[in-house]
Amino acid sequence: MFIVPLALTIYAFIDCLNTSEEDTKHLPKIAWVFIILLFWIVGPVVWLVAGKTRQNAAGGTGPAGWQRGRRQQWVAPDDNPDFLNSLKDQEREEQERREGGKGPDDKIPPAS
């Protein structure tokens, strides 16, 4: 019975220390550290319930906010239409440069 509250206290203490000051709610971070350490069983539970701004892994929405086919987070480059369009634009610019005879090494000397 001694190990569970101790493990909870250690977890809450480390979680509090790793949380930025902006993500703590209701009290300054140092106050949360004292609450966790002084109020041995209640302090860690209060920290986990009300002390930190928590975000879900799906970009801050729960299962009700998920939509099929709609991307919420980072998209791989080969699936990102904006990235693919930028590659097409670069290829088109390279093709125009080749056809026009101008390349990055073909510079006009400055007039003296």
Side-chain angles (χ1 to χ4, degrees):
M1 287 309 267
F2 180 73
I3 294 175
V4 174
L6 180 64
L8 183 65
T9 302
I10 291 171
Y11 174 78
F13 179 68
I14 292 172
D15 187 40
C16 182
L17 291 179
N18 288 332
T19 302
S20 68
E21 190 72 40
E22 293 84 31
D23 289 338
T24 56
K25 295 189 325 186
H26 308 296
L27 294 172
K29 188 174 173 178
I30 191 72
W32 280 114
V33 170
F34 284 122
I35 289 171
I36 291 168
L37 294 177
L38 293 176
F39 301 105
W40 207 70
I41 297 173
V42 177
V45 172
V46 172
W47 163 254
L48 293 174
V49 172
K52 177 180 178 180
T53 304
R54 308 261 179 209
Q55 294 179 351
N56 292 336
T61 61
W66 296 345
Q67 296 176 356
R68 288 185 187 218
R70 184 167 183 222
R71 299 190 189 279
Q72 297 281 337
Q73 289 182 315
W74 179 80
V75 180
D78 57 342
D79 293 336
N80 188 341
D82 295 332
F83 178 73
L84 295 174
N85 288 336
S86 71
L87 289 178
K88 289 178 186 176
D89 292 342
Q90 288 177 355
E91 186 177 324
R92 191 177 316 118
E93 289 173 4
E94 283 290 324
Q95 185 67 25
E96 289 174 1
R97 225 182 287 144
R98 279 189 231 128
E99 290 173 359
K102 294 182 181 176
D105 297 331
D106 299 336
K107 296 181 181 177
I108 300 173
S112 324

